[in-house]
């Protein structure tokens, strides 16, 4: 029996052209994905940017646009996002959730560090010298005014008409460019950060942050984000009878209430 003639390479290519096109498309798609390109609005293709979340505790879950991006075992987390505005939620174990709106730029990294406040902080009773130190810190926490504001990073914070206001700290070295939330269309002015319905007793910096303060008002102590744009950060810390607070350290603050002094760890 005569053997069939061998099929030429050209004939094979013609017969499998569709498969080769599919393979070429897959290769190009994977190469584009590795280079940071993703489908954009409509039929566009855009190059992604990176969101980096720092200052985390192990077991923190990151959400972007209400979709879980995973739970981290490290102190930082990175995820690629298409350019535009995204909602970020940081859900850390035993802490109040943190939410922020971010703008991602193509081929750039946007970094945020969430404010993390314990959901149920446990006060530590102070006695002796520790209580005396707390009393001194609390008495030194004078109510900030427009003439003698509390400077937090590049923001001057003060109380007027039972409202917490924030203004650019333009005389502070390194603060020639004020925070963007204090400026609109190139004009910067004092901005309302918090308007409680109960009397404000004390305002102190949030330890280790330049974007938040701790406010004792009425029977409550709360953490307030200075950026008033939605979603503004607000976290209740503790309820008391008539709380007075003072700066303690980079890990908490002092509280005086009902004749006793406490340390509240954050």
């Amino acid at each position: 029996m005569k053997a069939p003639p061998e099929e030429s390479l050209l004939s094979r290519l013609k017969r499998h052209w569709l498969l080769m096109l599919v393979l070429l498309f897959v290769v190009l798609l994977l190469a584009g994905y590795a280079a940071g390109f993703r489908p954009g609005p409509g039929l566009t293709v855009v190059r992604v940017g990176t969101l980096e979340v720092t200052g985390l505790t192990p077991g923190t879950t990151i959400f972007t646009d209400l979709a879980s991006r995973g739970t981290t075992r490290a102190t930082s987390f990175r995820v690629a996002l298409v350019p535009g505005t995204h909602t970020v939620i940081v859900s850390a174990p035993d802490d109040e959730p943190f939410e922020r709106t971010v703008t991602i730029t193509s081929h750039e990294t946007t970094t945020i560090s969430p404010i993390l406040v314990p959901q149920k902080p446990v006060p530590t009773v102070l006695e002796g010298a520790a209580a005396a130190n707390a009393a001194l810190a609390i008495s030194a926490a004078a109510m900030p005014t427009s003439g003698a504001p509390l400077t937090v990073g590049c923001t001057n914070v003060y109380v007027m008409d039972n409202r917490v206001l924030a203004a650019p700290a333009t005389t502070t070295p390194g603060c020639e460019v004020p925070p963007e939330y204090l400026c609109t269309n190139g004009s910067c002015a004092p901005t309302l950060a918090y308007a409680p319905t109960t009397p404000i007793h004390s305002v102190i910096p949030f330890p280790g942050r330049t974007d938040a303060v701790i406010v004792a008002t009425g029977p409550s102590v709360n953490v307030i984000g200075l950026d008033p744009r939605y979603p503004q950060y607000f976290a209740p810390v503790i309820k008391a009878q008539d709380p007075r607070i003072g700066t303690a350290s980079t890990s908490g603050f002092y509280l005086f209430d009902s004749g006793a002094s406490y340390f509240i760890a954050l």
Side-chain angles (χ1 to χ4, degrees):
M1 180 179 293
K2 188 177 180 179
E6 291 188 6
E7 186 178 16
S8 67
L9 177 60
L10 182 59
S11 298
R12 292 179 184 178
L13 292 176
K14 288 181 178 179
R15 189 155 58 89
H16 298 293
W17 67 271
L18 182 59
L19 177 60
M20 295 180 64
L21 284 178
V22 172
L23 290 176
L24 179 61
F25 176 77
V26 171
V27 170
L28 292 176
L29 186 64
L30 292 176
Y33 192 90
F37 290 94
R38 301 289 189 277
L43 298 177
T44 62
V45 175
V46 296
R47 194 167 191 178
V48 299
T50 301
L51 170 68
E52 181 177 32
V53 187
T54 62
L56 302 177
T57 56
T60 297
T61 302
I62 308 298
F63 298 84
T64 61
D65 305 320
L66 302 182
S68 174
R69 295 292 181 167
T71 300
T72 180
R73 297 180 181 178
T75 57
S76 63
F77 184 88
R78 293 170 66 91
V79 61
L81 297 173
V82 298
T85 301
H86 299 270
T87 298
V88 181
I89 298 176
V90 179
S91 179
D94 304 319
D95 290 333
E96 295 288 342
F98 174 85
E99 183 176 355
R100 173 70 55 84
T101 299
V102 300
T103 300
I104 299 296
T105 302
S106 178
H107 207 48
E108 293 185 6
T109 297
T110 300
T111 302
I112 64 172
S113 179
I115 305 170
L116 299 177
V117 175
Q119 291 180 345
K120 297 179 179 180
V122 179
T124 300
V125 179
L126 302 178
E127 297 178 347
N133 289 335
L136 288 175
I138 292 169
S139 63
M143 187 76 75
T145 64
S146 58
L150 171 67
T151 301
V152 182
C154 291
T155 304
N156 284 334
V157 180
Y158 58 95
V159 175
M160 179 180 291
D161 298 328
N162 205 58
R163 300 177 300 167
V164 177
L165 290 97
T170 53
T171 59
T172 300
C175 293
E176 291 76 15
V177 179
E180 61 179 359
Y181 60 82
L182 297 177
C183 305
T184 303
N185 298 325
S187 177
C188 303
T191 301
L192 177 64
Y194 183 45
T197 58
T198 53
I200 297 174
H201 307 311
S202 316
V203 179
I204 62 173
F206 187 97
R209 305 287 308 200
T210 60
D211 56 355
V213 292
I214 306 172
V215 181
T217 171
S220 304
V221 178
N222 306 306
V223 174
I224 310 298
L226 293 176
D227 187 343
R229 297 173 299 184
Y230 179 86
Q232 183 182 17
Y233 185 78
F234 175 91
V237 180
I238 198 167
K239 290 283 189 179
Q241 292 295 320
D242 187 27
R244 298 295 187 275
I245 56 177
T247 302
S249 66
T250 57
S251 60
F253 65 95
Y254 291 125
L255 168 71
F256 181 82
D257 184 63
S258 301
S261 297
Y262 306 88
F263 174 76
I264 310 294
L266 295 176

